[in-house]
Amino acid sequence: MKPLLFITLLISISGCVANNKTQLEIELEKERAEALAKIDVAACKKAGGKVEPIGLYELPKCVLYYPDGGKTCKSETDCIGFCVSRETLVAKTPATGICAHSEHDHYGCFSIIENGEAQHPICVD
């Protein structure tokens, strides 16, 4: 292939990739705006929550924090939410964790702790 033709083709292809990424960003911004429009921000704040970006696509949600979030735990019964370790532990090994900070505290990789034992690690986007 001639160098000039190759460079022209490469520029054309990279332009398409850039346009697709821009389109994705446009769609995400639209979805974020639509999600935010559905949230009653005043009611969220009144309930003690905070509007924050959640998950892989960072969609806004009203996040209500548990008063026991961060407390040491050995089981879900010790917490309002769930008992979790941010480490991916070997299943069925003795473990302690911390109480989840909110209902949206389940993104990334972690191990649920139940009855003083780590459960199989989970990764959630």
Side-chain angles (χ1 to χ4, degrees):
M1 184 179 286
K2 294 185 180 190
L4 185 57
L5 179 61
F6 177 73
I7 291 170
T8 304
L9 182 61
L10 189 59
I11 290 170
S12 297
I13 291 172
S14 65
C16 291
V17 172
N19 286 338
N20 286 339
K21 184 175 181 185
T22 302
Q23 185 63 33
L24 175 61
E25 289 171 349
I26 291 168
E27 289 297 320
L28 280 174
E29 286 176 10
K30 180 181 171 189
E31 287 206 32
R32 289 177 186 136
E34 288 173 0
L36 184 58
K38 293 177 184 175
I39 298 171
D40 184 339
V41 177
C44 177
K45 287 181 181 179
K46 187 176 179 180
K50 207 159 98 173
V51 176
E52 296 181 346
I54 299 296
L56 180 64
Y57 295 117
E58 298 184 336
L59 296 176
K61 303 258 186 198
C62 178
V63 179
L64 299 171
Y65 288 90
Y66 301 133
D68 64 353
K71 178 184 101 177
T72 302
C73 57
K74 290 189 176 212
S75 191
E76 186 176 284
T77 57
D78 298 335
C79 307
I80 293 172
F82 51 92
C83 183
V84 63
S85 170
R86 284 289 158 199
E87 298 177 42
T88 51
L89 304 172
V90 176
K92 301 299 178 192
T93 58
T96 57
I98 61 166
C99 294
H101 293 280
S102 77
E103 67 181 327
H104 299 288
D105 213 12
H106 61 272
Y107 292 97
C109 296
F110 56 90
S111 295
I112 297 288
I113 310 300
E114 197 55 54
N115 299 319
E117 289 185 342
Q119 304 304 302
H120 291 283
I122 304 168
C123 292
V124 179
D125 285 333

